[in-house]
């Protein structure tokens, strides 16, 4: 299950982002702002991030990037990461003042990884609508998968991650079926014992433990009632 990340959800303990189906640059710019504001972010399934443009075009761009190095001493940089998670990390780093203390602190709040390891497989994942490929990219335009680009650049764990992800999805599907079965059993048990627990439910409702209504419902009712009274006065 996924929900969206926005300003209203900032300053939670940790926000887990599912990278699948997001565009690389748009996702990175949104996360850079969140990190600067103090939010801790974890990005999973980085290998499923998308980049606009065909795989061949992006491969040529990345091969040109691999040629950029220091003439006299290449071990001093620049360093060319092959793993999808490190590619995303480097893109975000370029959007931060990473040589200053505030930029270093922002990068320390970021975790990136391939696949969906424990404990994030049991946590709620978020998506970023402004970076979703299906929303931002025009239908018919070419795009590629970051994991495929990394494989061409020298990353050797694409098959392993796909294998682990398939295993995890089978396990999660079995867990969800079991959860639905338990929910049906609980609902049927509630219906079967509703007559026996009617008195107890009434007592709990009197104490305020009945059906929970949102706070804004009463205010809306009052507003509607006030509007009706004004209409009656106008009619008079």
């Amino acid at each position: 299950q996924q929900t969206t990340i926005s300003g209203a959800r900032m300053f939670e303990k940790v926000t887990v982002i599912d990278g699948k189906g997001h565009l690389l640059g748009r996702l990175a710019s949104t996360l850079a702002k969140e990190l600067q504001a103090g939010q801790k972010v974890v990005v999973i399934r980085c290998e499923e991030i998308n980049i606009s443009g065909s795989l061949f075009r992006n491969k040529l761009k990345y091969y040109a990037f691999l040629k950029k190095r220091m003439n006299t001493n290449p071990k001093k940089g620049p360093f060319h990461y092959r793993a999808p998670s490190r590619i995303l990390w480097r893109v975000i780093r370029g959007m931060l003042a990473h040589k200053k203390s505030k930029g270093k602190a922002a990068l320390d709040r970021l975790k990136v990884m391939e696949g969906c390891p424990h404990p994030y497989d049991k946590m709620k994942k978020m998506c970023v609508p402004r970076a979703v490929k299906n929303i931002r990219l025009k239908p018919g335009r070419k795009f590629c998968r970051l994991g495929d680009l990394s494989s061409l650049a020298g990353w050797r764990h694409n098959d392993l991650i796909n294998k682990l992800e398939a295993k995890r999805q089978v396990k999660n599907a079995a867990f969800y079926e079991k959860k639905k079965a338990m929910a049906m059993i609980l609902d049927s048990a509630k219906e079967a014992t509703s007559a026996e627990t009617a008195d107890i439910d009434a007592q709990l409702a009197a104490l305020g433990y009945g059906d929970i209504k949102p706070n804004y419902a009463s205010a809306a009712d009052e507003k509607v009632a006030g509007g009706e009274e004004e209409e009656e006065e106008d009619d008079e």
Side-chain angles (χ1 to χ4, degrees):
Q1 186 182 3
Q2 294 182 340
T3 52
T4 60
I5 181 171
S6 63
R9 295 194 61 86
M10 280 182 58
F11 303 120
E12 294 200 353
K13 195 169 184 181
V14 177
T15 298
V16 182
I17 306 292
D18 186 356
K20 183 174 182 179
H22 289 77
L23 291 170
L24 178 63
R26 291 179 182 273
L27 177 64
S29 61
T30 303
L31 296 186
K33 249 187 173 178
E34 295 283 331
L35 293 167
Q36 283 178 320
Q39 176 64 53
K40 291 183 179 178
V41 177
V42 178
V43 186
I44 60 170
R45 297 211 285 181
C46 291
E47 75 281 358
E48 297 292 342
I49 291 174
N50 296 133
I51 308 175
S52 60
S54 66
L55 180 60
F56 180 76
R57 181 182 175 83
N58 283 296
K59 181 185 74 169
L60 295 181
K61 285 183 179 180
Y62 203 82
Y63 284 0
F65 168 63
L66 291 179
K67 291 181 181 178
K68 290 178 171 59
R69 63 177 197 163
M70 184 176 181
N71 270 344
T72 53
N73 195 355
K75 73 177 183 181
K76 289 189 176 180
F79 303 108
H80 313 98
Y81 299 112
R82 267 68 168 188
S85 58
R86 299 304 287 173
I87 290 175
L88 174 65
W89 180 87
R90 197 178 195 276
V91 172
I92 294 174
R93 187 190 71 173
M95 299 178 181
L96 299 170
H98 66 277
K99 293 186 179 180
K100 295 184 178 179
S101 57
K102 64 177 182 179
K104 292 176 182 176
L107 272 179
D108 287 341
R109 300 186 198 106
L110 175 67
K111 285 185 181 179
V112 288
M113 56 199 70
E114 292 86 16
C116 187
H118 180 80
Y120 305 112
D121 57 340
K122 291 180 169 54
M123 295 175 68
K124 191 173 188 178
K125 287 88 172 171
M126 315 287 256
C127 74
V128 184
R130 69 183 70 175
V132 173
K133 187 263 297 179
N134 288 340
I135 297 175
R136 305 302 302 183
L137 201 63
K138 186 177 180 180
R141 297 296 189 190
K142 293 180 180 179
F143 66 94
C144 68
R145 180 175 165 270
L146 185 57
D148 296 335
L149 179 63
S150 294
S151 296
L152 293 174
W155 185 55
R156 295 175 294 179
H157 305 294
N158 194 24
D159 294 337
L160 174 62
I161 293 296
N162 290 339
K163 182 180 176 182
L164 292 174
E165 277 295 289
K167 189 184 293 185
R168 180 187 67 84
Q169 288 169 4
V170 169
K171 185 178 177 182
N172 284 5
F175 170 79
Y176 184 59
E177 292 298 325
K178 183 179 178 182
K179 182 179 178 181
K180 286 199 296 184
M182 292 300 295
M184 289 178 65
I185 292 171
L186 182 62
D187 291 339
S188 60
K190 284 181 179 178
E191 291 177 5
T193 58
S194 58
E196 299 175 12
T197 60
D199 296 337
I200 299 173
D201 290 339
Q203 293 175 14
L204 290 173
L207 294 171
Y209 294 101
D211 295 334
I212 299 174
K213 295 181 180 179
N215 294 331
Y216 57 79
S218 57
D221 294 340
E222 291 175 2
K223 189 175 180 181
V224 170
E228 290 176 354
E229 290 176 2
E230 290 176 1
E231 288 178 1
E232 289 177 0
E233 291 175 359
D234 294 338
D235 294 339
E236 289 174 1

